[in-house]
Amino acid sequence: MDKKVEVVVIGAGITGLITTFLLQEKGIDVVLLEKTDRVGGQLHTINDGGFLFESGPNTGVVSNIEVLELFRKLNDECTLQIAQQEAKVRLIWKNGLFRPLPNGLSSAISTNLFSWYDKINILFEPFRKRGNDPFESVASLVKRRLGKSYLNYAVDPFVSGIYAGDPNRLVTRFALPKLYRLEHEYGSFIRGAMKRRKALAEEKEQGISKDVFSVKGGFNQLVEALRKRISNDAIITSAGNSIVEPTLDGWSTSLSASGDKIYSQYVITTVPAYALPDLLPFVEEEEMKPIASLHYAPVIQIGVGIKDGSRVPLAFGGLIPSVEKEKLLGILFNSSCYSDRAPRGAASLSFFLGGVQHADLLNYSDNELYELVKEAMHTMLKYPKDTEPYKFHIFRHSKAIPQYEADSEERLNTVDKLQERYKGLIIAGGLRDGIGLADRIKQATKLANLLSR
């Protein structure tokens, strides 16, 4: 049955859900379309005998006020869960051992993660010239300002943990904009960090921090809380592939599963970039190309439950630099971060493989992945060689994380041009504005505020 609303949101991942929830809260008539039979997108929690595993993102960061505001609104149905104090420790794999990433001056001096040359040379970082390349890679910027060992054993594994990407290809201005601004607004990482102390103190008073968060019971609870807050008639699942076309006074969205059409003044897309050509067929292929060609990193996440958790470090996780030539990107120690991730005495872990630099691992069989994880439990976590995982769940994502590389500016310019030409069309989602959960929440809040003016 055809209907008319003010806004159609396409894609019921976290961005689409939050946008729809906030629009309804503001009294705007909105419909959310999802081609599959469930909402939440990559957010999905598995509970296997008390072991909690996320198939997609495991954590977010309380890096903006929008995160706090969302959870205040959902407080009755969904509890923000800040990682335990132990999770502040990050481990880096080097020469066969996990070593703590420095978190203060004394540990920065004593650590063997970085060379003495770079440790001394960092004293001169405030006096180095600003870069003048707006497309400078993360690797180039870090080597220029901090040195190669800081790239290899701090920034490279950090980038792997966020983007599963290659720091030589990611462009700092788009992938790590805060780092880019430290140099270009303050002239130096160190000077920028010092000058931002007052602003950081003010943010801390509001609750904004670098704290890592999840949701009590897993991210399914966030998805369900949002779904409950959205009226049933505003969500259409199993809609099949949608096709959007401009009309004389707005937009027409056709649902392939039912043949129905929904007419609206606005259409917000939150789907991945590669889905846009079929969704927006009125845009010429050549013009859509800068958006649709966005590169996505493949990721395999393996949830592992271990009966004896005594050997798992009390830390957020262990990251593995690419220079170490290991097949793993890292291991997240879920039960060290949150007390509800495993039964008492046991451990819940997430092993990450693949990424831009090891895309071939996506072709590994389940048995090959099992053996790889078992070996890592022995070599990296020091479990006896014959220790078997008690729980084992493989989550394969062939197109998991968008890579903000050198083509980012052309992509964003194309988005702006299309939105300017086709009034009422908004192209959102992870193809722009950041890939983290906090980024998604902030973008959704911004969209809802924009349309409610």
Side-chain angles (χ1 to χ4, degrees):
M1 181 183 296
D2 295 352
K3 64 186 299 184
K4 187 172 184 178
V5 296
E6 191 172 350
V7 182
V8 167
V9 179
I10 302 176
I14 190 62
T15 309
L17 279 170
I18 296 172
T19 302
T20 304
F21 160 61
L22 295 175
L23 286 172
Q24 268 209 339
E25 188 184 52
K26 296 174 184 294
I28 294 174
D29 191 13
V30 56
V31 167
L32 174 63
L33 304 180
E34 170 56 41
K35 73 175 185 178
T36 70
D37 61 358
R38 59 171 291 272
V39 300
Q42 291 195 27
L43 291 185
H44 188 52
T45 310
I46 304 294
N47 187 335
D48 184 354
F51 291 87
L52 294 188
F53 305 112
E54 302 286 0
S55 70
N58 285 265
T59 61
V61 180
V62 189
S63 57
N64 57 56
I65 194 66
E66 289 83 359
V67 172
L68 298 170
E69 289 174 346
L70 176 68
F71 280 96
R72 288 184 191 121
K73 293 175 186 291
L74 299 174
N75 186 49
D76 292 341
E77 296 97 352
C78 182
T79 304
L80 180 70
Q81 191 177 33
I82 301 299
Q84 298 175 132
Q85 186 66 27
E86 291 83 357
K88 292 186 181 297
V89 179
R90 265 70 167 173
L91 304 178
I92 304 294
W93 183 257
K94 184 178 183 182
N95 296 335
L97 290 173
F98 275 126
R99 306 162 193 270
L101 190 66
N103 60 359
L105 180 60
S106 60
S107 58
I109 294 172
S110 62
T111 184
N112 61 2
L113 288 175
F114 314 128
S115 70
W116 275 107
Y117 176 84
D118 285 345
K119 289 179 188 177
I120 294 170
N121 206 33
I122 201 172
L123 296 174
F124 301 96
E125 190 274 337
F127 308 102
R128 297 195 175 102
K129 292 182 179 180
R130 288 182 176 91
N132 56 15
D133 180 4
F135 297 98
E136 186 174 23
S137 71
V138 172
S140 173
L141 174 65
V142 173
K143 279 193 292 186
R144 180 168 56 79
R145 297 211 69 88
L146 301 178
K148 190 173 182 180
S149 64
Y150 283 92
L151 169 64
N152 288 343
Y153 288 99
V155 176
D156 171 274
F158 172 76
V159 165
S160 289
I162 296 175
Y163 281 95
D166 181 350
N168 291 289
R169 294 171 58 177
L170 292 167
V171 173
T172 313
R173 182 160 58 104
F174 303 109
L176 300 175
K178 290 182 180 179
L179 189 66
Y180 179 83
R181 288 196 295 270
L182 282 179
E183 180 183 37
H184 286 267
E185 291 181 14
Y186 302 100
S188 155
F189 295 165
I190 293 175
R191 281 210 301 268
M194 293 176 66
K195 289 182 178 180
R196 274 190 47 77
R197 283 179 179 174
K198 183 178 180 181
L200 291 174
E202 292 173 353
E203 289 178 355
K204 189 174 182 180
E205 288 182 4
Q206 299 177 64
I208 300 170
S209 68
K210 295 180 181 179
D211 286 341
V212 173
F213 77 87
S214 180
V215 173
K216 188 174 182 180
F219 280 120
N220 266 4
Q221 301 302 313
L222 173 58
V223 172
E224 286 305 308
L226 289 165
R227 174 155 194 160
K228 287 178 183 177
R229 291 291 191 96
I230 300 169
S231 61
N232 290 334
D233 61 350
I235 300 179
I236 301 176
T237 55
S238 300
N241 293 319
S242 300
I243 296 178
V244 174
E245 295 282 359
T247 65
L248 289 176
D249 57 352
W251 296 92
S252 166
T253 304
S254 302
L255 285 60
S256 65
S258 65
D260 294 341
K261 288 188 176 182
I262 302 176
Y263 298 94
S264 62
Q265 182 181 354
Y266 296 96
V267 168
I268 301 174
T269 74
T270 67
V271 301
Y274 53 80
L276 287 174
D278 291 335
L279 179 64
L280 308 175
F282 58 90
V283 180
E284 293 292 335
E285 181 180 352
E286 195 61 29
E287 188 169 23
M288 180 63 79
K289 191 174 180 180
I291 303 175
S293 61
L294 172 60
H295 181 207
Y296 284 75
V299 173
I300 302 172
Q301 182 175 178
I302 303 174
V304 174
I306 304 175
K307 283 186 175 181
D308 175 16
S310 61
R311 295 175 187 265
V312 176
L314 293 176
F316 177 77
L319 293 170
I320 301 166
S322 57
V323 293
E324 291 293 313
K325 306 300 182 184
E326 299 283 354
K327 291 181 178 178
L328 287 177
L329 296 173
I331 310 171
L332 179 61
F333 309 139
N334 303 313
S335 47
S336 293
C337 298
Y338 309 105
S339 59
D340 63 346
R341 304 294 134 141
R344 184 180 295 275
S348 168
L349 310 174
S350 291
F351 289 73
F352 295 90
L353 305 87
V356 169
Q357 301 188 67
H358 298 285
D360 59 301
L361 294 180
L362 204 69
N363 298 319
Y364 269 38
S365 68
D366 290 1
N367 186 60
E368 287 174 314
L369 293 174
Y370 184 90
E371 292 301 323
L372 193 156
V373 166
K374 184 178 173 182
E375 179 64 20
M377 287 171 55
H378 170 62
T379 58
M380 295 183 173
L381 301 181
K382 310 308 177 187
Y383 278 90
K385 200 167 180 111
D386 60 351
T387 302
E388 302 278 346
Y390 177 58
K391 303 290 185 182
F392 196 82
H393 293 269
I394 300 172
F395 309 108
R396 299 174 187 266
H397 305 284
S398 61
K399 294 182 177 180
I401 305 174
Q403 302 295 295
Y404 292 176
E405 299 175 349
D407 58 356
S408 295
E409 183 164 76
E410 185 181 9
R411 180 176 68 256
L412 296 177
N413 287 340
T414 302
V415 168
D416 290 342
K417 287 177 184 176
L418 290 175
Q419 292 182 156
E420 179 63 28
R421 185 187 311 158
Y422 299 102
K423 300 299 183 182
L425 173 66
I426 299 173
I427 299 173
L431 59 86
R432 61 180 304 171
D433 302 333
I435 65 167
L437 284 174
D439 299 316
R440 302 292 86 236
I441 295 170
K442 184 174 184 177
Q443 185 190 74
T445 305
K446 182 178 178 180
L447 290 175
N449 290 338
L450 177 69
L451 295 189
S452 64
R453 287 176 182 169

